[in-house]
């Protein structure tokens, strides 16, 4: 049988999406398979920080340098995904002051431009900082939209002819005469099994990497570090704020458009399914963040989410925080490559390195250009920031469907015309609809109405999509629901259970 694809990529997170774009730019025939939605693994569960590298600088200088270099590139090639907030590292009363010198020296060695500033200057940059802060260091951190980053890479790959099958899970590898030459995958929406062949398979399935490697008889020893993140309903800081101490829980505050992401934790877990966010994690994050930004105590929490960092098990590492956040590429020399670890913001570099190896194996001579060629929306000059998009509200020709995220009806219509999806979550991933402060309360039914108008859903199947969407939102809301947020949820319940009769429909 003829090979149809040069390359099958398993995994639609930042790594897989980056490889799809890079390899499509080099002329390869690419197929990417993702078992769920795009960015449904660690990428969609990350804290959306464009690391300056400083967090790792005292322990893992190579990863720190990598982060800083990619930070500079990502600001240029993914302009529309990045908000150049800047960042601070702060100590609070009682923190080990000797770590500050170690931190400054290590940054100098890594050539990461940081500046020790006085407390008043720090408070001017970030008025919400606690009066208990002592040392303040300015660093080149930034914030990013991980979903948009993945979608943009995928769009670019599609424009170059790549095929992207989401909701398609690789169940097994096709191995002939000791060589991996394809995959057996299950299309969950069409409910059919497919055999798909390629000259090379790239395993970019993140935490599931060892499961895929095992299908070809390879052992990839991974340690799983669960991390949880909380989202407040407003923006608590102007800039990214980090605790200036060796990496620990509840160290980072990332402003993300109109909300704030607080995190994270590191809990070793043995399995990847049904991850739970514990109340201990929620409390730890709030207590630690409050030492830097006390306003968090009065914040309303919208939701929490959790993800797993796949860390390559080093023999010498004593705990997960000591395992390198760098990435590893394994050429299994049998038609398959695995790529493991790294950071979301080093995705481009990871894709470049693995694509270099893939091109060598496939005999493709093209060089990598992803460090200089911007992503599609950056090329079109589109802006992501709320303040830039707020003018949409006063534009009489544009109708806003999701007011929290300022998503227009046209944007949703475009996704629906292109995909004909019956799943509101597909629209969420592509546009951010329903990710804002109302968590879909005021936009989900409007989007469903649009689907009905376009004959995509009917009376019978329409509400199923609504229930699925609301249940997914609820899973994230439950771990942090408290105070005034309960009233908001009662309103949501009132709208959907009473007016739309959805609770009755679910029971039937
Ligand atoms: C809590 C937390 C916070 C983080 N914060 C940051 C941060 O602020 N900044 C940063 O740069 N990095 C951060 N990271 C790290 C970053 O999220 C990851 O390094 C990066 O997203 C990994 O991307 P990936 O594509 O390799 O893996 P993933 O995003 O996990 O993608 C793997 C994909 O493979 C798919 N898959 C698995 N098995 C199959 C199969 N059989 N068939 C088809 N598809 C399959 C999965 O569904 C998944 O979508 C954080 C990580 C965590 C957990």
């Amino acid at each position: 049988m003829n090979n149809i694809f040069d390359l099958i990529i398993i995994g639609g997170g930042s790594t897989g999406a980056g490889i799809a774009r890079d390899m499509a730019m080099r002329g390869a025939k690419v197929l990417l398979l993702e078992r769920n939605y795009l960015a449904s693994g660690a990428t969609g569960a990350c804290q959306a920080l464009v690391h300056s590298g400083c967090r790792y600088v005292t322990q893992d200088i190579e990863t720190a340098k990598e982060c800083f270099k990619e930070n500079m590139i990502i600001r240029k090639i993914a302009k529309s995904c990045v908000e150049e907030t800047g960042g601070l590292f702060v100590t609070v009363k009682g923190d080990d002051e000797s770590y500050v010198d170690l931190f400054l020296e290590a940054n100098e060695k890594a050539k990461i431009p940081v500046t020790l500033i006085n407390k008043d200057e720090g408070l001017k940059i970030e008025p919400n900082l606690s009066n208990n802060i002592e040392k303040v260091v300015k660093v080149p951190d930034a914030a990013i939209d991980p979903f948009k980053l993945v979608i943009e890479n995928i769009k670019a790959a599609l424009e170059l002819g790549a095929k992207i099958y989401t909701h398609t899970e690789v169940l097994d590898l096709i191995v002939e005469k000791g060589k991996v030459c394809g995959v057996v995958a299950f299309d969950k929406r069409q409910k059919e099994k497919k055999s798909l062949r390629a000259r090379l398979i790239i395993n970019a399935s993140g935490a599931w990497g060892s499961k895929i490697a095992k299908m070809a008889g390879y052992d990839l020893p991974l340690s799983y570090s669960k991390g949880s993140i909380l989202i407040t309903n407003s923006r608590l800081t102007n800039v990214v704020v980090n605790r200036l101490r060796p990496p620990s829980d509840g160290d980072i505050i990332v402003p993300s458009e109109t909300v704030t992401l607080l995190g994270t934790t590191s809990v070793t877990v043995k399995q990847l399914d049904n991850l739970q966010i514990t109340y201990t994690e929620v409390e730890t994050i709030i207590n630690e963040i409050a030492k830097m930004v006390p306003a968090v105590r009065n914040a309303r929490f919208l939701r929490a989410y959790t993800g797993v960092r796949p860390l390559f098990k080093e023999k010498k590492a004593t705990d997960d925080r000591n395992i390198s956040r760098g990435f590893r590429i394994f050429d299994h020399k049998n038609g398959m490559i695995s790529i493991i670890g790294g950071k979301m913001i080093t995705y481009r570099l990871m894709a470049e390195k693995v694509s270099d190896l893939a091109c060598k194996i496939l005999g493709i001579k093209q060089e990598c250009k992803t460090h200089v060629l911007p992503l599609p929306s950056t090329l079109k000059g589109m802006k992501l920031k709320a303040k830039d998009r707020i003018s949409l509200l006063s534009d009489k020709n544009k109708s806003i469907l999701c007011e929290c995220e300022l998503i227009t009806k046209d944007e949703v219509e475009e996704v629906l015309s292109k995909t004909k999806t019956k799943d509101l979550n597909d629209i969420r991933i592509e546009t951010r609809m329903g990710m804002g402060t109302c968590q879909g309360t005021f936009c989900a039914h409007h989007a469903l109405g649009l689907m009905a108008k376009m004959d995509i859903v009917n009376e019978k199947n329409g509400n199923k999509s609504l229930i699925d969407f609301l249940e997914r939102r609820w899973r994230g809301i439950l771990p942090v629901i408290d105070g005034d947020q309960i009233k908001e949820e009662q309103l949501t319940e009132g709208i959907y259970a009473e007016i739309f009769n959805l609770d009755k429909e679910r029971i039937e």
Side-chain angles (χ1 to χ4, degrees):
M1 186 195 282
N2 286 334
N3 283 323
I4 301 175
F5 298 101
D6 290 323
L7 188 68
I8 293 177
I9 301 160
I10 307 173
S14 53
T15 310
I19 300 167
R21 177 184 183 227
D22 193 331
M23 287 301 287
M25 278 167 71
R26 299 194 207 202
K29 278 188 191 167
V30 173
L31 168 65
L32 181 145
L33 302 174
E34 165 54 53
R35 62 179 192 148
N36 293 322
Y37 301 92
L38 292 169
S40 57
T43 305
C46 85
Q47 205 177 350
L49 170 63
V50 180
H51 286 274
S52 51
C54 299
R55 183 161 171 81
Y56 309 110
V57 77
T58 56
Q59 289 176 316
D60 185 351
I61 196 158
E62 288 315 311
T63 300
K65 283 184 189 166
E66 243 166 49
C67 284
F68 175 62
K69 200 171 159 216
E70 288 303 307
N71 172 319
M72 293 295 122
I73 294 175
I74 225 169
R75 285 166 194 252
K76 290 194 194 116
I77 64 147
K79 248 188 188 131
S80 64
C81 306
V82 175
E83 183 181 348
E84 298 202 18
T85 55
L88 299 174
F89 271 71
V90 300
T91 60
V92 300
K93 260 184 202 138
D95 283 351
D96 177 6
E97 295 261 320
S98 67
Y99 186 70
V100 180
D101 290 337
L102 207 69
F103 179 80
L104 292 170
E105 272 164 35
N107 275 300
E108 200 174 334
K109 250 192 224 156
K111 296 195 171 47
I112 301 175
V114 304
T115 323
L116 180 67
I117 57 176
N118 66 42
K119 185 174 161 177
D120 287 344
E121 264 182 274
L123 282 165
K124 218 185 245 171
I125 294 172
E126 192 45 75
N128 264 348
L129 283 177
S130 158
N131 265 328
N132 282 336
I133 58 152
E134 297 197 319
K135 300 284 182 198
V136 185
V137 181
K138 227 173 127 182
V139 306
D141 281 337
I144 190 164
D145 179 342
F147 294 96
K148 191 166 168 77
L149 183 73
V150 169
I151 296 291
E152 286 292 305
N153 275 278
I154 292 294
K155 269 189 191 161
L158 282 167
E159 276 170 21
L160 293 162
K163 300 267 182 254
I164 312 290
Y165 299 167
T166 57
H167 303 279
T168 304
E169 179 164 6
V170 171
L171 301 178
D172 207 352
L173 298 173
I174 303 171
V175 185
E176 287 170 2
K177 294 183 188 151
K179 188 177 179 303
V180 182
C181 37
V183 303
V184 178
F186 182 65
D187 181 333
K188 296 180 187 177
R189 288 193 168 161
Q190 301 302 326
K191 304 217 178 320
E192 64 182 30
K193 253 190 192 177
K194 292 174 178 169
S195 288
L196 300 154
R197 287 176 168 259
R199 293 164 63 203
L200 185 67
I201 310 293
I202 297 186
N203 171 17
S205 58
W208 296 266
S210 49
K211 194 174 160 195
I212 299 285
K214 210 175 229 159
M215 293 174 186
Y218 286 92
D219 188 28
L220 271 188
L222 296 182
S223 179
Y224 304 124
S225 159
K226 182 188 75 162
S228 298
I229 289 159
L230 317 182
I231 312 182
T232 63
N233 83 329
S234 62
R235 186 161 166 140
L236 294 179
T237 60
N238 298 321
V239 301
V240 175
V241 181
N242 307 261
R243 184 84 166 265
L244 181 38
R245 63 176 177 185
S248 187
D249 288 350
D251 273 356
I252 311 175
I253 305 167
V254 181
S256 171
E257 300 244 340
T258 55
V259 300
T260 319
L261 310 181
L262 311 175
T264 168
T265 51
S266 179
V267 182
T268 305
V269 289
K270 295 265 176 267
Q271 52 86 37
L272 299 170
D273 298 317
N274 300 320
L275 296 172
Q276 302 293 328
I277 300 159
T278 64
Y279 289 110
T280 312
E281 281 180 284
V282 174
E283 269 179 13
T284 305
I285 293 172
I286 296 174
N287 289 338
E288 290 302 316
I289 296 289
K291 291 178 188 162
M292 299 186 283
V293 174
V296 72
R297 292 251 175 249
N298 302 321
R300 182 134 68 92
F301 290 92
L302 283 184
R303 60 188 289 112
Y305 57 91
T306 191
V308 170
R309 309 168 185 92
L311 306 171
F312 186 71
K313 256 190 200 162
E314 311 279 356
K315 283 196 184 106
K316 59 182 193 289
T318 47
D319 84 59
D320 285 349
R321 290 233 187 251
N322 295 329
I323 299 182
S324 168
R325 292 329 199 223
F327 63 91
R328 300 286 194 94
I329 295 174
F330 301 88
D331 179 0
H332 302 296
K333 309 252 181 234
N334 67 339
M336 185 164 95
I337 303 171
S338 291
I339 178 157
I340 297 290
K343 304 294 300 171
M344 182 244 319
I345 74 130
T346 55
Y347 88 96
R348 193 213 60 81
L349 178 70
M350 294 164 73
E352 174 180 340
K353 295 293 174 205
V354 82
S355 299
D356 283 348
L357 177 60
C359 284
K360 207 165 141 196
I361 296 169
L362 295 170
I364 295 173
K365 297 272 185 284
Q366 298 293 320
E367 300 270 301
C368 175
K369 294 197 189 86
T370 57
H371 55 301
V372 284
L373 274 188
L375 290 164
S377 71
T378 296
L379 280 170
K380 282 183 208 147
M382 255 171 67
K383 288 275 190 318
L384 169 88
K385 294 180 195 75
K387 72 174 163 47
D388 296 312
R389 290 162 62 178
I390 206 102
S391 58
L392 282 173
L393 282 173
S394 54
D395 185 341
K396 289 201 178 70
N397 299 320
K398 299 252 186 260
S399 131
I400 304 288
L401 189 138
C402 166
E403 287 181 354
C404 306
E405 294 285 335
L406 294 173
I407 311 302
T408 63
K409 189 175 149 231
D410 292 353
E411 282 173 86
V412 175
E413 228 162 26
E414 192 185 319
V415 176
L416 288 173
S417 319
K418 197 179 64 188
T419 61
K420 304 276 180 266
T421 183
K422 292 185 177 56
D423 187 340
L424 287 165
N425 288 297
D426 283 333
I427 306 173
R428 177 174 64 83
I429 304 285
E430 281 229 14
T431 64
R432 291 189 66 87
M433 180 204 82
M435 287 199 194
T437 44
C438 87
Q439 291 291 294
T441 303
F442 298 114
C443 54
H445 59 279
H446 285 308
L448 191 74
L450 213 53
M451 282 176 167
K453 200 172 152 206
M454 292 169 81
D455 285 332
I456 293 171
V457 294
N458 56 33
E459 274 172 37
K460 276 192 186 143
N461 58 22
N463 283 355
K464 186 184 171 301
S465 180
L466 208 48
I467 292 170
D468 184 45
F469 179 84
L470 293 167
E471 281 184 344
R472 274 172 191 270
R473 298 284 81 194
W474 175 243
R475 259 177 257 155
I477 294 165
L478 190 59
V480 286
I481 189 157
D482 197 15
D484 283 346
Q485 194 61 28
I486 296 173
K487 292 183 202 157
E488 189 173 317
E489 287 317 308
Q490 281 170 335
L491 175 66
T492 309
E493 191 186 12
I495 293 174
Y496 288 96
E498 305 300 327
I499 302 176
F500 286 84
N501 221 10
L502 287 192
D503 54 344
K504 186 165 175 281
E505 191 147 319
R506 202 175 47 187
I507 293 161
E508 284 165 353

